[in-house]
Coordinates of all heavy atoms in Angstrom, one line a residue:
L122 N -0.8 35.7 4.6 CA -0.7 35.1 3.2 C -0.3 36.2 2.2 O 0.6 35.9 1.3 CB -2.1 34.6 2.8 CG -2.6 33.5 3.8 CD1 -4.1 33.1 3.3 CD2 -1.7 32.2 3.7
V123 N -0.8 37.3 2.3 CA -0.5 38.4 1.4 C 1.0 38.8 1.6 O 1.8 39.0 0.6 CB -1.4 39.6 1.6 CG1 -0.9 40.8 0.7 CG2 -2.9 39.3 1.1
A124 N 1.3 39.0 2.8 CA 2.8 39.3 3.1 C 3.7 38.3 2.5 O 4.8 38.6 1.9 CB 3.0 39.6 4.7
R125 N 3.5 37.0 2.8 CA 4.3 35.9 2.4 C 4.4 35.8 0.9 O 5.5 35.6 0.4 CB 3.9 34.6 3.0 CG 4.2 34.5 4.5 CD 3.8 33.0 4.8 NE 4.0 32.8 6.2 CZ 3.7 31.7 6.8 NH1 3.0 30.8 6.1 NH2 4.0 31.6 8.1
T126 N 3.3 35.8 0.3 CA 3.4 35.7 -1.3 C 4.0 36.9 -1.9 O 4.8 36.7 -2.9 CB 2.0 35.4 -1.8 OG1 1.1 36.5 -1.2 CG2 1.5 34.0 -1.5
G127 N 3.8 38.0 -1.2 CA 4.5 39.3 -1.8 C 6.0 39.2 -1.8 O 6.7 39.8 -2.6
G128 N 6.5 38.4 -0.9 CA 8.0 38.3 -0.7 C 8.5 36.9 -1.2 O 9.6 36.6 -0.9
R129 N 7.6 36.2 -1.9 CA 8.1 34.9 -2.3 C 8.9 35.0 -3.6 O 8.6 35.6 -4.6 CB 6.8 34.0 -2.6 CG 7.1 32.7 -3.4 CD 6.0 31.7 -3.2 NE 4.7 32.0 -3.6 CZ 3.6 31.3 -3.6 NH1 3.7 30.2 -2.8 NH2 2.5 31.7 -4.0
W130 N 10.0 34.3 -3.6 CA 11.0 34.2 -4.8 C 11.0 32.7 -5.0 O 11.3 31.8 -4.2 CB 12.3 34.7 -4.4 CG 12.2 36.2 -4.4 CD1 11.8 37.0 -3.3 CD2 12.7 37.1 -5.5 NE1 11.9 38.4 -3.7 CE2 12.4 38.5 -5.0 CE3 13.0 36.9 -6.8 CZ2 12.6 39.6 -5.7 CZ3 13.3 38.1 -7.6 CH2 13.1 39.4 -7.1
T131 N 11.0 32.3 -6.3 CA 10.8 30.9 -6.7 C 12.0 30.6 -7.8 O 12.3 31.4 -8.6 CB 9.4 30.6 -7.4 OG1 8.4 31.0 -6.5 CG2 9.3 29.1 -7.7
C132 N 12.5 29.4 -7.6 CA 13.7 29.0 -8.4 C 13.3 28.7 -9.9 O 12.3 27.8 -9.9 CB 14.6 28.1 -7.7 SG 14.9 26.5 -8.5
R133 N 13.8 29.1 -10.8 CA 13.3 28.9 -12.1 C 13.6 27.4 -12.6 O 12.7 26.8 -13.3 CB 14.3 29.8 -13.2 CG 13.9 29.9 -14.6 CD 12.7 30.8 -14.7 NE 13.1 32.2 -14.9 CZ 12.0 33.1 -14.8 NH1 10.8 32.8 -15.1 NH2 12.4 34.4 -14.8
A134 N 14.5 26.7 -12.2 CA 14.8 25.4 -12.6 C 14.0 24.3 -11.9 O 13.4 23.5 -12.5 CB 16.3 25.0 -12.4
H135 N 13.9 24.4 -10.6 CA 13.2 23.4 -9.8 C 12.0 23.7 -8.9 O 11.5 22.9 -8.2 CB 14.1 22.5 -9.2 CG 15.1 21.8 -10.0 ND1 16.5 22.1 -10.1 CD2 14.9 20.7 -11.0 CE1 17.0 21.4 -11.0 NE2 16.1 20.6 -11.5
G136 N 11.8 25.0 -8.8 CA 10.7 25.6 -8.0 C 11.0 25.6 -6.5 O 10.0 25.7 -5.7
H137 N 12.3 25.6 -6.2 CA 12.6 25.8 -4.7 C 12.1 27.2 -4.3 O 12.1 28.1 -5.1 CB 14.2 25.7 -4.5 CG 14.8 24.3 -4.8 ND1 15.6 24.1 -5.8 CD2 14.5 23.3 -4.1 CE1 15.9 22.9 -5.9 NE2 15.2 22.2 -4.9
I138 N 11.6 27.1 -3.1 CA 10.9 28.4 -2.5 C 11.6 29.2 -1.5 O 12.2 28.6 -0.5 CB 9.5 27.9 -1.9 CG1 8.7 27.2 -2.9 CG2 8.7 29.1 -1.5 CD1 7.7 26.3 -2.4
Y139 N 11.7 30.5 -1.7 CA 12.4 31.4 -0.7 C 11.4 32.5 -0.3 O 10.5 32.8 -1.0 CB 13.6 32.0 -1.4 CG 14.6 31.0 -1.8 CD1 14.5 30.4 -3.0 CD2 15.6 30.6 -0.8 CE1 15.5 29.3 -3.3 CE2 16.5 29.5 -1.3 CZ 16.4 28.9 -2.4 OH 17.4 28.0 -2.7
N140 N 11.9 33.3 0.7 CA 11.1 34.5 1.1 C 12.1 35.6 1.4 O 13.1 35.3 2.1 CB 10.2 34.2 2.3 CG 9.3 35.4 2.4 OD1 9.7 36.3 3.0 ND2 8.0 35.3 1.9
Q141 N 11.9 36.7 0.8 CA 12.9 37.7 1.0 C 13.2 38.1 2.5 O 14.3 38.6 3.0 CB 12.7 39.0 0.1 CG 11.4 39.7 0.4 CD 11.1 40.7 -0.7 OE1 11.4 40.4 -1.9 NE2 10.5 41.8 -0.2
T142 N 12.1 38.0 3.3 CA 12.2 38.3 4.7 C 12.3 37.1 5.6 O 13.2 37.1 6.5 CB 10.8 39.0 5.1 OG1 10.6 40.0 4.3 CG2 10.9 39.5 6.6
Y143 N 11.6 36.1 5.4 CA 11.6 34.9 6.3 C 12.5 33.7 6.0 O 12.8 33.0 6.9 CB 10.1 34.3 6.4 CG 9.1 35.4 6.5 CD1 8.1 35.8 5.6 CD2 9.1 36.2 7.8 CE1 7.3 36.8 5.8 CE2 8.1 37.1 8.1 CZ 7.2 37.4 7.0 OH 6.3 38.4 7.2
N144 N 12.9 33.7 4.8 CA 13.6 32.5 4.3 C 14.5 32.8 3.0 O 14.3 32.4 2.0 CB 12.8 31.4 3.9 CG 13.5 30.1 3.6 OD1 14.6 29.8 4.1 ND2 13.0 29.3 2.7

Side-chain angles (χ1 to χ4, degrees):
L122 298 174
V123 168
R125 281 188 183 174
T126 46
R129 169 159 58 189
W130 288 81
T131 305
C132 128
R133 192 74 77 186
H135 299 107
H137 293 115
I138 304 158
Y139 298 87
N140 188 283
Q141 64 195 33
T142 311
Y143 312 111
N144 183 31

